[in-house]
Amino acid sequence: MSTQKTILRALAGETLPTPPIWMMRQAGRYLPEYKATRAQAGDFLSLCYNPELAAEVTLQPIRRYGFDAAILFADILLLPQALGADLWFVTGEGPRLSTITSAEELDVLKPVTAIHDTLSPIYETVKILSRELPDETTLIGFAGAPWTVATYMVAGKGTPDQGPAHALKDANKDVFEALLDRITEGTIDYLSEQIKAGAEVVKLFDSWAGSLQGSDFLNYSVKPMAQIVAALKAKHPTTPIIAFPRGAGEKYVGLHAAIGADCIALDDGVTVHWAAEKVQVNGCVQGNLKSSHMVTGGDDLVSETRRIVDALSNGPHIFNLGHGITPDADPENVQLMIDTVRGN
Ligand code: 1CP
C-alpha cells in the first residue's frame, strides 16, 4: 500500500475506498477558537500577516477534526495589496480596496518583483505549518484566479454581478487585459514562493468565473489559470494544482485539460451524477455539498453527504463543500459530515 498522503493519492488519480476530506474556509468565524485568536491579533489583516497566529488558526480545524488537508490561512486580496492597492476591511461589510479603472491607476501599481516585500510573512506561515502539521496532513497553498482578483481591484469591493469589471473589460480592454496580465504574473511568483516554502498543493479560486460567458470565460477565466498552471508546472512539476471555477455550469466539461489542473473543484450548482459522468471522467474532483447543510445539519446533511460520496465513488474524489462554510454554521455539523464520509 502507498504511504503517500491520501489527498496526494487522489490528486494523482487514485480512486480511494474513502475520499479524503477538507473544507473550504475550515478556519473561520464558525469556530470559537478562531474568534479568540482573531481577537488576539486585533483585526483580520493583522492575523493574516502574523505567521505564528495565522499558523495557529490554520491548525485549529486540524486539531479539532483531523481533516486530511490544511489550507494556509491568508486571503486572495493580499496579492492586490502587495501590488500596491490599498486594502482594508469594514466590519460587518467586507473588504475595500483602492480602485483601478484607468491606465494612470494601473501605472501606480508596483512591479511584480516587489510583491515579496509584503508577502514574506505568508511564506513564513507556510514554513511553520510544514514543520508543525501532522505527517498525514497535506498543506494547501492558494491564490485567487486573475479574473476574481481583478473584480475586486476594479470595483474596490465585492459586487453581486461583478459589474465594474465587466464594464472595464468592455470599455477599455487594453487596461483590463494589462491588469489581468499583472495579476497573472504576480500569482505565478506568489504561488511559486508558497511551494518553495512547503505548500504541497496549490489551489486557484475563481469565485466569480460564473459571470463570464462564451469567449470571455475562455479568455479571462480559463486562459489566465492555464498560464499560471503551465508556469508552475514548469518550475514545480510534482506539485498538484486544484482549480475552482465557481459557477461554470456546463462549462465545467473539459476544464481539467483546458486549465491543466489535477483537480477541478465543483460548486453546488451542478448535479453530482452529471459531474461524475462529465467532469470526473477526466480526473479528480472535489466539492459539491451545499454549505447550508453545515447550518441545518440532521438527516438531510447525512443523506446528501452519502449521495455525493456514492456518486463520485468510481473515480478520484476529495470530499469538500461547494463553497466556504459560513459563520452561522454549527461546528457539530462539521463533525457529522466527517463521520458520515468516513463511515464512523
Ligand atoms: O472577519 C473575518 O475573520 C474575515 C473573514 C475571512 C476569512 C476567514 C475573510 C475575509 N477571508 C478569510 C480567509 C480566507 N479567504 C481563506 C483562508 C483559508 C480557509 O479556507 O480556511 C481563503 C482560502 C480565502 C479565499 C477568499 N477570500 C476568496 C475565495 C473563496 C471564496 O470564498 O469564494 C474570496 C472571494 C475572498 C475575499 C474575501 N475575503 C474575506 C471576505 C469576507 C471575502 C469575500 C468578500 C466579498 O465578495 O464581499
Side-chain angles (χ1 to χ4, degrees):
M1 218 186 82
S2 166
T3 53
Q4 220 190 2
K5 300 179 185 187
T6 49
I7 296 239
L8 298 177
R9 289 168 65 189
L11 289 167
E14 202 178 323
T15 304
L16 298 165
T18 301
I21 178 169
W22 69 281
M23 191 174 68
M24 275 188 269
R25 292 278 170 98
Q26 62 191 24
R29 285 170 292 176
Y30 74 105
L31 288 180
E33 58 268 38
Y34 169 83
K35 284 191 253 186
T37 310
R38 187 176 178 279
Q40 194 187 336
D43 58 53
F44 175 67
L45 284 176
S46 306
L47 177 55
C48 290
Y49 287 116
N50 181 323
E52 296 294 334
L53 295 183
E56 166 58 25
V57 292
T58 307
L59 289 164
Q60 285 168 349
I62 307 305
R63 284 191 209 113
R64 188 190 262 259
Y65 298 115
F67 281 116
D68 295 295
I71 182 158
L72 163 71
F73 190 84
D75 197 79
I76 67 164
L77 300 176
L78 305 185
L79 179 66
Q81 186 176 37
L83 284 169
D86 292 330
L87 172 68
W88 67 103
F89 280 78
V90 179
T91 312
E93 289 185 31
R96 294 289 181 272
L97 299 95
S98 47
T99 57
I100 294 180
T101 54
S102 66
E104 293 71 32
E105 284 165 344
L106 185 65
D107 282 345
V108 176
L109 290 184
K110 297 179 194 167
V112 164
T113 48
I115 64 172
H116 309 301
D117 298 345
T118 303
L119 297 171
S120 57
I122 310 306
Y123 313 142
E124 189 53 37
T125 308
V126 174
K127 284 183 194 158
I128 296 173
L129 287 166
S130 56
R131 280 198 306 270
E132 295 194 359
L133 276 169
D135 289 345
E136 65 277 14
T137 314
T138 302
L139 178 56
I140 303 176
F142 74 94
W147 161 251
T148 288
V149 173
T151 66
Y152 289 95
M153 292 183 82
V154 175
K157 59 183 179 181
T159 45
D161 58 359
Q162 298 76 59
H166 282 280
L168 182 66
K169 162 172 74 61
D170 297 337
N172 199 340
K173 201 171 166 177
D174 290 350
V175 169
F176 173 75
E177 291 189 348
L179 175 61
L180 269 196
D181 286 347
R182 185 76 67 95
I183 299 167
T184 303
E185 243 186 282
T187 305
I188 292 166
D189 286 7
Y190 180 37
L191 289 177
S192 190
E193 288 304 310
Q194 291 184 28
I195 293 167
K196 284 193 225 158
E200 299 169 281
V201 174
V202 292
K203 178 167 176 181
L204 288 168
F205 286 90
D206 212 351
S207 304
W208 300 118
S211 73
L212 291 168
Q213 301 304 323
S215 60
D216 278 354
F217 179 76
L218 286 176
N219 289 332
Y220 304 130
S221 176
V222 175
K223 201 175 125 205
M225 283 201 277
Q227 269 176 277
I228 294 165
V229 170
L232 291 176
K233 292 280 180 189
K235 291 188 195 179
H236 313 280
T238 59
T239 304
I241 300 173
I242 305 171
F244 181 35
R246 188 167 77 94
E250 297 196 344
K251 299 191 290 300
Y252 263 116
V253 179
L255 287 184
H256 283 92
I259 298 171
D262 302 272
C263 177
I264 293 293
L266 305 166
D267 56 53
D268 58 26
V270 294
T271 312
V272 72
H273 289 282
W274 176 87
E277 196 184 315
K278 303 282 190 191
V279 188
Q280 191 189 30
V281 67
N282 296 317
C284 186
V285 292
Q286 161 190 286
N288 196 238
L289 183 70
K290 277 193 172 51
S291 307
S292 56
H293 286 296
M294 298 300 103
V295 181
T296 52
D299 292 347
D300 285 354
L301 161 57
V302 172
S303 61
E304 266 305 290
T305 299
R306 286 202 181 122
R307 204 171 68 85
I308 291 169
V309 170
D310 286 349
L312 298 173
S313 63
N314 295 320
H317 173 213
I318 297 167
F319 194 89
N320 206 315
L321 304 177
H323 200 195
I325 187 168
T326 49
D328 55 345
D330 181 344
E332 287 191 15
N333 291 333
V334 176
Q335 189 64 56
L336 180 58
M337 168 182 73
I338 295 171
D339 290 345
T340 306
V341 170
R342 294 184 174 159
N344 294 334

